[in-house]
Amino acid sequence: MPIQYYLFLSMALFCIGIMGTLMRRNAIIIFMCIELMLNAVNLLLVAFSKMYGDASAQVFVFFIMVVAAAEVSVGLAVIVMMYRKVHSVDINILNRLKH
Amino acid sequence: MDLYEILFWFLTVMALGCALGVILSRNPISSVLFLIATFFAISGHYILMNAQFLAIVNIIVYAGAIMVLFLFVIMLMNLNADTEPQKNRLIQLAGVISGGILFLVVLGALRSTPVTNLERADVGIGLIKNLGKTLFTQFVLPFEISSVLFLSAMIGAIVIGRKE
């Protein structure tokens, strides 16, 4: 497989993640789209690791997974607290922080 | 067209279709299930690229742990298609257009890269032995720091999530 196919696949996944982040108002779905973008980057890193025969990229993928797990645990805690306060996961409610 | 290419195209179509399903489905629970299917497709790609360890870790950590956490939270809040907040059409269109334009820009920039075929010969870099050696020789310090990161994330989640 040419490396271009993997490039285009992961770019398509990344852009789908961006579209989802811009389109949806549900905070949990936006979080999931961020996970999708992280996975697109992981896929590209593994493809390049295969291309150059270097294991460092796969270790980086491992670290990205660690960061994603930490991010999800804190982020979901924030969303649960927000749901307890305002009984909604609509991110437009969060613009009250402005006032 | 041999088995390798058939698998590649099948997994690619599955990943893209399920990713579209994530952002298009109204029900948050089906979004989560679509995302799990996407992660399985990406794990299949890892196996095709001889990164077996990462494929297993991807399934265990993402599909097994993170997505179950999402599913728990969604079911805890009792979200469904009726309570789903909707943006108006104009903002949705703007989101699709800006994402598509970014895709076109990167596509145009990368179109002229020289074609390099990924070797199919296995050099064994994706196996646990090789990755472990790299992780514990070259990347020991980041590994230890990430354990501190995990500890602080755990404490942070407990502190944020507790009832006053």
Side-chain angles (χ1 to χ4, degrees):
Chain A
M1 281 293 133
I3 186 75
Q4 270 85 3
Y5 289 178
Y6 284 105
L7 265 175
F8 294 150
L9 170 63
S10 54
M11 268 323 294
L13 282 176
F14 193 86
C15 290
I16 289 174
I18 287 180
M19 283 180 202
T21 311
L22 295 176
M23 271 170 63
R24 303 297 294 261
R25 269 169 51 186
N26 189 333
I28 295 177
I29 308 276
I30 290 176
F31 236 99
M32 278 162 37
C33 290
I34 291 172
E35 296 299 315
L36 193 62
M37 289 194 264
L38 285 173
N39 261 278
V41 174
N42 282 352
L43 183 64
L44 197 55
L45 273 175
V46 174
F48 279 132
S49 140
K50 171 101 171 140
M51 182 176 160
Y52 288 106
D54 191 353
S56 310
Q58 301 202 4
V59 177
F60 264 92
V61 171
F62 199 63
F63 284 131
I64 291 176
M65 285 180 184
V66 168
V67 170
E71 170 223 337
V72 163
S73 61
V74 175
L76 280 180
V78 170
I79 291 178
V80 169
M81 283 313 287
M82 173 186 149
Y83 185 76
R84 264 194 213 149
K85 295 263 189 239
V86 297
H87 294 286
S88 166
V89 287
D90 190 345
I91 51 159
N92 277 17
I93 296 193
L94 281 186
N95 66 9
R96 275 186 207 156
L97 279 177
K98 279 194 301 199
H99 307 303
Chain B
M1 197 152 172
D2 56 357
L3 184 65
Y4 184 88
E5 292 184 13
I6 293 172
L7 274 176
F8 175 85
W9 288 114
F10 172 72
L11 289 172
T12 303
V13 170
M14 181 178 163
L16 288 178
C18 294
L20 282 177
V22 172
I23 63 170
L24 293 181
S25 70
R26 298 282 296 271
N27 194 340
I29 288 182
S30 51
S31 278
V32 171
L33 296 179
F34 272 126
L35 194 56
I36 292 175
T38 313
F39 287 162
F40 270 95
I42 290 176
S43 289
H45 274 298
Y46 290 167
I47 291 176
L48 282 188
M49 287 188 280
N50 284 315
Q52 293 93 341
F53 175 65
L54 280 182
I56 296 299
V57 167
N58 197 43
I59 288 178
I60 294 175
V61 172
Y62 268 109
I66 294 182
M67 297 324 289
V68 169
L69 202 62
F70 272 105
L71 214 52
F72 267 152
V73 170
I74 287 177
M75 288 179 173
L76 199 73
M77 294 175 180
N78 205 7
L79 297 180
N80 50 37
D82 304 328
T83 56
E84 174 72 12
Q86 287 297 318
K87 268 190 180 160
N88 60 36
R89 290 277 162 208
L90 199 65
I91 293 180
Q92 286 190 346
L93 191 68
V96 170
I97 287 177
S98 43
I101 285 176
L102 177 67
F103 182 61
L104 282 183
V105 166
V106 180
L107 207 69
L110 295 177
R111 206 165 46 89
S112 56
T113 47
V115 176
T116 317
N117 265 303
L118 290 183
E119 293 293 324
R120 286 193 207 174
D122 190 8
V123 283
I125 53 168
L127 298 178
I128 272 190
K129 187 180 168 193
N130 211 321
L131 278 184
K133 260 184 200 157
T134 314
L135 186 62
F136 288 109
T137 51
Q138 221 180 330
F139 294 99
V140 175
L141 187 62
F143 179 74
E144 298 292 339
I145 292 174
S146 69
S147 69
V148 178
L149 172 74
F150 250 135
L151 184 67
S152 55
M154 202 164 70
I155 295 172
I158 294 171
V159 168
I160 292 171
R162 95 186 146 184
K163 274 197 171 112
E164 282 101 42

